[in-house]
Amino acid sequence: MKKRLNITEAMMKDQELLLMTEESTNLTELSPAGQMLVDSDQLSFIYLAEQDGDYTYITIPEKTWSVLKEGLAAGATVSLSNGSSQVELVSFKEEMEYLIENIKGNSNYGDEMVGKVELIF
């Protein structure tokens, strides 16, 4: 069964983009997979991580995209944080840039997703 971690907030701290999740989330056994997907229905990007031999979907909603854009432009390191610990999300920048370019003008992702990505990024 796939587990979902929802990003509740994104913030820049020095040269790091922090994607915040619930404080109760245990990050110690989470292994970043370096791959991303798109959930057009939920207007979210999804970063894949592994835990206990199964995928964990880290859901990055539209409300965080403007800070995401700022972090990407600054070349910031991207990490998942629960407030007390964090893990770097490897290949995040490359995966996001690829998805953004692929989504622009591509109706396969749905008009709403395309419109939001084109507006923000």
Side-chain angles (χ1 to χ4, degrees), residues 2 4 8 21-24 33 35 38 51 61 63 68-70 74 77 81 86 89 95 99 101 108 113 117 119-120:
K2 292 172 185 59
R4 280 192 178 270
T8 56
T21 190
E22 295 84 12
E23 289 182 31
S24 61
Q35 297 176 329
V38 174
Q51 188 172 17
K63 69 179 184 177
L68 214 58
K69 178 183 178 182
E70 178 186 345
T77 302
S81 176
Q86 62 189 51
L89 301 180
E95 288 286 310
L99 287 174
E101 287 308 310
N108 290 332
M113 183 73 173
V117 168
L119 179 68
I120 295 171

Side-chain angles (χ1 to χ4, degrees), residues 6-103:
N6 295 312
I7 299 304
T8 56
E9 180 183 4
M11 67 177 76
M12 287 293 296
K13 185 176 182 185
D14 301 320
Q15 279 297 318
E16 188 168 35
L17 172 60
L18 296 176
L19 300 178
M20 306 300 293
T21 190
E22 295 84 12
E23 289 182 31
S24 61
T25 303
N26 182 357
L27 301 180
T28 58
E29 297 177 16
L30 198 65
S31 178
Q35 297 176 329
M36 291 185 76
L37 305 170
V38 174
D39 184 343
S40 298
D41 294 334
Q42 299 299 314
L43 295 177
S44 297
F45 291 101
I46 298 174
Y47 184 92
L48 297 177
E50 295 178 32
Q51 188 172 17
D52 299 326
D54 209 352
Y55 280 117
T56 297
Y57 289 176
I58 301 169
T59 304
I60 307 160
E62 177 203 356
K63 69 179 184 177
T64 63
W65 293 0
S66 60
V67 178
L68 214 58
K69 178 183 178 182
E70 178 186 345
L72 292 171
T77 302
V78 181
S79 296
L80 176 66
S81 176
N82 63 5
S84 58
S85 64
Q86 62 189 51
V87 60
E88 183 178 344
L89 301 180
V90 296
S91 301
F92 187 94
K93 183 178 189 294
E94 296 82 5
E95 288 286 310
M96 274 298 297
E97 289 172 347
Y98 171 79
L99 287 174
I100 290 165
E101 287 308 310
N102 197 38
I103 291 170

